[in-house]
Amino acid sequence: MGHLNIIHSGTKTTVNYFGDSAEPLQLKDNNTSGTHKNGYRRNRMTYFLTLIVGLFTLFSFAQNTAPQIEITDIAADETAKTLTVNYSLSDAESNTCEVWLKMSLDDGIYYETVPIAKITGDIGTGINPDPTLSLTWDYSDLTVEIRSVDIKLFASDNQAVDIAEMVSQVDEANLLSNLQFIEGERHYLTAPVHLEEVRTFIENAFMEVNLQTERHFFVHSHLMMQNILGRKPGAKDEAITYIIDGHFDGRSNSPSADDNGSAVAGTLEALRILSQYSFEHSIRFIGFDAEEVYSPIGYPGSYNYVLNGIKPFEDLQGTLNMEMIGFYSDAINSQTLPAGFATLFPEAAQQIEDDEFRGNFLFGVGNTISDPLLSAFIAASEDYVPDLRLITVTVAGTGQSVPDLRRSDHAMFWDAGLQALMLTDTADFRNPNYHTPGDSIGTLDFGFMKNVVKAVLATVAELAIPISVGSDETDLSTWLSIGEHDQFAAEIFIFPNPSTGLLTLRVENAKSGFTSLVEVYDLAGKKVYQDLREFSTGTSNSEINLQHLTNGSYILKLKSKNITTSLAFIIAY
C-alpha cells in the first residue's frame, strides 16, 4: 500500500457494520443492536435458519448437472451465405434448454452472440435434448471470410447455481499455502528474483485453470515491469467484466505478507473456486506490479493497465481491489484513523470509537460513481458472510480531498471514471508491522482473511451471474478445409502412421526455410494441439508429442503465410 500519514489513536471500537445502500461520505451500518446478548441470540437464530435452508438448497442443487452439447457436423453454402451446424444435446435431468451461438473474429479471444434473428432451426429457448439437432446461420452480413471465424455453441438448462456453496469452499489452508510461497522481499530493485518468481506463480495459477493469460508490459524508471492478467470469459454477454485484483510487489527490507501478499493469496483462492463455475459475464483476475513504486502518475501498474491494458471489447463494471486483508485485532486502541477522518465521516468515526477503537473490521472505500458496486458488496457480505464486520464509506468525486483513501490501485480506476472499491484492513492505521521486516505470516489472522475472500467471491459471483451451461467450440477453417490440400513448396510427411502419439513431421525438398503453425484437430473439429515450428531448406524433421491424446483419427494442419495443408493420421496405443 502507498505511504500514508498516521494520526491519532483515541479510544478505539467497532460494531458489526453492514448496510443496504451507499450514501456519499457516510458509514453503512446494518448490524447495530441494543446489547451484545440480543445480537448473539439473533445471530444464533439466523445461523440455524441459514444452516437449514443451506442444507436443503445444497441437496437440491447437488442433483443438477449442466447440459452437454457437441457439434457433430458443419456445412457452408457460400452462395447463399449460410452455415448449418448439426449438434447433439443431452441433459442428465432431461431439462429443456436454451441454446445460443457465438462467433469470434480474433481466434477465440472474444465471442459475440449471433443475433437469434439471423438463425433458424433448433435455437433459443425450449430446446429438448436430442442427438440430431440443427441450426442454420445466415452470415450474409459478415464482413470477413467464413473460414476465418471461430464459433461456440452454448446450452443452458437455466437451473440455479448455489453461490453459498462457492463461498463455503474458501479454505484457510489454501490461503496459507499461497502466502507461504509469496512471502518474502519482492522489490524491483532489491529483490527482483523473488518478484519474478511471484509473477510466474500467479501466471501459472491463471494458466492451470485455463484463463486467457497474458503479461501486460510497461516501462517505469527505464525498467520493464509486468502486470499479470487472467480472463475468464462469460457465457452470455462477456463484454461485461468484473475484476478481482491485488498488487504483488512489496517494499524493500520487508517480507510484505500483509502488504500485499495477503491480497494475492486471496485473489488466487477466489480464482480456484470461481474457475470451477460458469458465469454470464466475464471475470478478470489481475496481479498488479509496481504499486509500491512512487510515481507522479499514481500507481504505475494499474495506471498503465487502465491506460492501455483494457481490451476494446471490455465493459468494466466493477473492480474489487484488495489492499492488505490479513491483520485483525480485538485489542482496545488497536485502530487509528487518518487525519480529518472524523470530520469527513463522523458516523464511521463514532462507530469505531463506540467499540473502543478495535481493529476487528474490514474497511471498504468507494467513490460516488462506485455506489452501485459498494451496495452490491455490502449486500453480498451481509447475505453470505454475516460474521465479517464491515465499515464502508463513500468519498466524493475521485477522492482527491481524502488522499489517504486513494492509496492503492483502485484510485486509477476512479480517475478513469470506472467503479472500484478498496477493501483493506486499513494498513498502518492498524498493522504496526506495515513496511517493516515484521510484516510476516505469523502476524496475520487467516480466519479474518478467509471472510474477506468470501465476501469478494460472493460479490463477484452475484454480479457475474452463475449459470448452468455446457459448450462446444470449433475453428471453422478446420471443418470447411478438410479435404482441401493447398500445396507447400515442399513435400510433407508424417510417420509412423498409425503411431502411439510420438510423431515425426518430415519436410523434404523445401526451397527455403520457413516457419509454420502446426495444429492438430480431432474429427469433431476441436483443436487439441498447437505449436510454431521452424523448418530449414531441404530436408528437416520435427518431433511432435501427442501422447496426451486418446486413440482415434486426427487432422494435422500446417499453416504458413497464406498456404495451408492438411494430413490425416491415426493414434493407436
Side-chain angles (χ1 to χ4, degrees):
M1 188 171 193
H3 180 67
L4 172 64
N5 300 318
I6 252 188
I7 67 134
H8 80 287
S9 208
T11 33
K12 315 179 174 181
T13 140
T14 306
V15 185
N16 218 358
Y17 297 116
F18 297 94
D20 296 321
S21 62
E23 298 299 327
L25 305 179
Q26 295 299 321
L27 172 75
K28 283 69 182 179
D29 176 11
N30 230 19
N31 231 6
T32 55
S33 61
T35 67
H36 291 293
K37 185 176 181 181
N38 289 339
Y40 169 75
R41 287 175 177 169
R42 182 162 52 252
N43 288 340
R44 184 170 62 176
M45 182 178 294
T46 300
Y47 170 79
F48 284 117
L49 288 173
T50 301
L51 179 62
I52 291 169
V53 173
L55 289 173
F56 174 78
T57 302
L58 177 61
F59 176 79
S60 301
F61 287 132
Q63 308 311 305
N64 185 66
T65 55
Q68 300 295 310
I69 191 166
E70 181 179 2
I71 297 170
T72 57
D73 193 24
I74 295 177
D77 183 333
E78 297 190 46
T79 302
K81 293 193 178 298
T82 60
L83 183 80
T84 298
V85 179
N86 297 328
Y87 67 94
S88 66
L89 174 64
S90 61
D91 185 83
E93 295 78 32
S94 299
N95 293 314
T96 57
C97 294
E98 178 185 4
V99 175
W100 63 97
L101 179 68
K102 300 178 77 172
M103 68 168 184
S104 173
L105 305 180
D106 58 6
D107 294 323
I109 301 299
Y110 171 69
Y111 281 88
E112 180 179 359
T113 301
V114 177
I116 198 167
K118 303 295 281 184
I119 304 175
T120 58
D122 299 310
I123 193 72
T125 57
I127 307 299
N128 291 310
D130 191 298
T132 59
L133 297 172
S134 181
L135 62 85
T136 299
W137 169 28
D138 173 4
Y139 66 84
S140 57
D141 56 354
L142 199 63
T143 58
V144 299
E145 212 276 331
I146 189 63
R147 285 176 176 79
S148 66
V149 176
D150 294 327
I151 63 169
K152 196 168 187 177
L153 194 60
F154 292 83
S156 173
D157 55 15
N158 289 318
Q159 298 298 302
V161 180
D162 189 9
I163 294 176
E165 169 62 18
M166 300 182 202
V167 172
S168 71
Q169 296 177 51
V170 178
D171 190 343
E172 289 182 39
N174 290 328
L175 292 168
L176 174 60
S177 177
N178 287 335
L179 192 49
Q180 284 173 329
F181 182 88
I182 296 164
E183 184 185 39
E185 191 174 347
R186 305 182 299 279
H187 191 267
Y188 74 107
L189 292 177
T190 59
V193 173
H194 189 49
L195 180 63
E196 175 57 26
E197 289 173 342
V198 171
R199 286 194 193 106
T200 302
F201 183 67
I202 298 169
E203 181 180 47
N204 288 342
F206 288 179
M207 291 191 294
E208 283 174 6
V209 295
N210 297 315
L211 297 191
Q212 295 176 0
T213 303
E214 63 180 299
R215 293 198 175 204
H216 173 240
F217 294 90
F218 61 95
V219 176
H220 180 74
S221 298
H222 307 291
L223 293 174
M224 185 67 73
M225 297 185 179
Q226 303 156 51
N227 298 321
I228 309 299
L229 313 181
R231 178 174 179 263
K232 180 178 175 59
K236 284 197 168 181
D237 187 350
E238 65 180 82
I240 294 176
T241 302
Y242 297 93
I243 294 174
I244 298 175
D245 80 80
H247 74 84
F248 55 78
D249 64 317
R251 299 286 288 192
S252 59
N253 197 37
S254 174
S256 301
D258 192 23
D259 187 15
N260 194 32
S262 61
V264 178
T267 298
L268 296 181
E269 178 64 355
L271 164 69
R272 180 185 69 83
I273 298 163
L274 292 172
S275 64
Q276 302 173 48
Y277 297 84
S278 297
F279 297 86
E280 292 191 10
H281 306 310
S282 299
I283 305 173
R284 186 174 280 287
F285 301 85
I286 301 179
F288 281 123
D289 204 348
E291 194 271 355
E292 298 289 0
V293 176
Y294 172 77
S295 172
I297 64 174
Y299 302 99
S302 50
Y303 172 85
N304 281 280
Y305 171 73
V306 170
L307 181 67
N308 56 39
I310 301 171
K311 305 301 182 185
F313 55 77
E314 286 184 308
D315 176 13
L316 298 190
Q317 291 292 312
T319 295
L320 299 183
N321 172 50
M322 290 183 282
E323 177 59 66
M324 303 179 63
I325 61 167
F327 197 86
Y328 175 97
S329 176
D330 249 334
I332 294 173
N333 291 331
S334 56
Q335 183 69 50
T336 60
L337 300 175
F341 186 88
T343 301
L344 290 169
F345 311 104
E347 292 185 24
Q350 186 62 52
Q351 289 163 343
I352 294 170
E353 181 179 346
D354 287 347
D355 198 36
E356 301 180 278
F357 287 87
R358 290 183 171 90
N360 56 3
F361 59 89
L362 176 69
F363 188 50
V365 184
N367 68 336
T368 309
I369 199 173
S370 304
D371 266 352
L373 182 62
L374 186 57
S375 295
F377 183 78
I378 293 168
S381 299
E382 182 178 32
D383 290 344
Y384 296 101
V385 204
D387 291 338
L388 178 65
R389 293 182 175 179
L390 177 64
I391 295 179
T392 65
V393 298
T394 300
V395 301
T398 59
Q400 296 290 349
S401 62
V402 198
D404 283 339
L405 302 187
R406 285 178 51 88
R407 289 173 47 205
S408 191
D409 293 303
H410 65 288
M412 302 297 95
F413 291 85
W414 288 357
D415 292 347
L418 298 169
Q419 293 191 60
L421 305 181
M422 176 174 67
L423 306 170
T424 178
D425 61 19
T426 73
D428 45 339
F429 295 114
R430 180 186 304 173
N431 188 342
N433 306 300
Y434 174 77
H435 287 183
T436 73
D439 184 8
S440 62
I441 284 179
T443 66
L444 303 185
D445 186 310
F446 283 83
F448 175 66
M449 193 187 306
K450 177 178 72 173
N451 281 340
V452 175
V453 176
K454 283 183 173 183
V456 169
L457 184 154
T459 303
V460 170
E462 284 279 7
L463 292 170
I465 309 175
I467 184 172
S468 174
V469 69
S471 66
D472 194 16
E473 61 186 294
T474 190
D475 175 353
L476 290 181
S477 68
T478 304
W479 286 92
L480 304 180
S481 298
I482 291 176
E484 299 177 3
H485 298 282
D486 301 317
Q487 296 299 311
F488 274 78
E491 298 177 75
I492 313 292
F493 304 93
I494 293 177
F495 64 89
N497 188 12
S499 79
T500 57
L502 293 176
L503 299 180
T504 297
L505 181 60
R506 184 177 180 86
V507 174
E508 295 182 356
N509 302 319
K511 296 180 180 179
S512 62
F514 63 94
T515 299
S516 178
L517 180 64
V518 179
E519 298 176 335
V520 175
Y521 295 84
D522 65 20
L523 293 189
K526 293 182 180 178
K527 185 188 298 182
V528 294
Y529 175 86
Q530 177 177 296
D531 197 8
L532 200 63
R533 297 297 178 98
E534 300 282 344
F535 297 96
S536 60
T537 302
T539 299
S540 56
N541 294 328
S542 185
E543 309 300 323
I544 301 176
N545 187 341
L546 300 175
Q547 290 183 314
H548 63 288
L549 300 179
T550 58
N551 289 345
S553 298
Y554 296 88
I555 302 295
L556 183 145
K557 299 176 71 68
L558 274 75
K559 299 179 180 180
S560 182
K561 297 181 180 179
N562 295 321
I563 302 175
T564 300
T565 192
S566 302
L567 300 170
F569 68 94
I570 296 172
I571 292 179
Y573 295 102

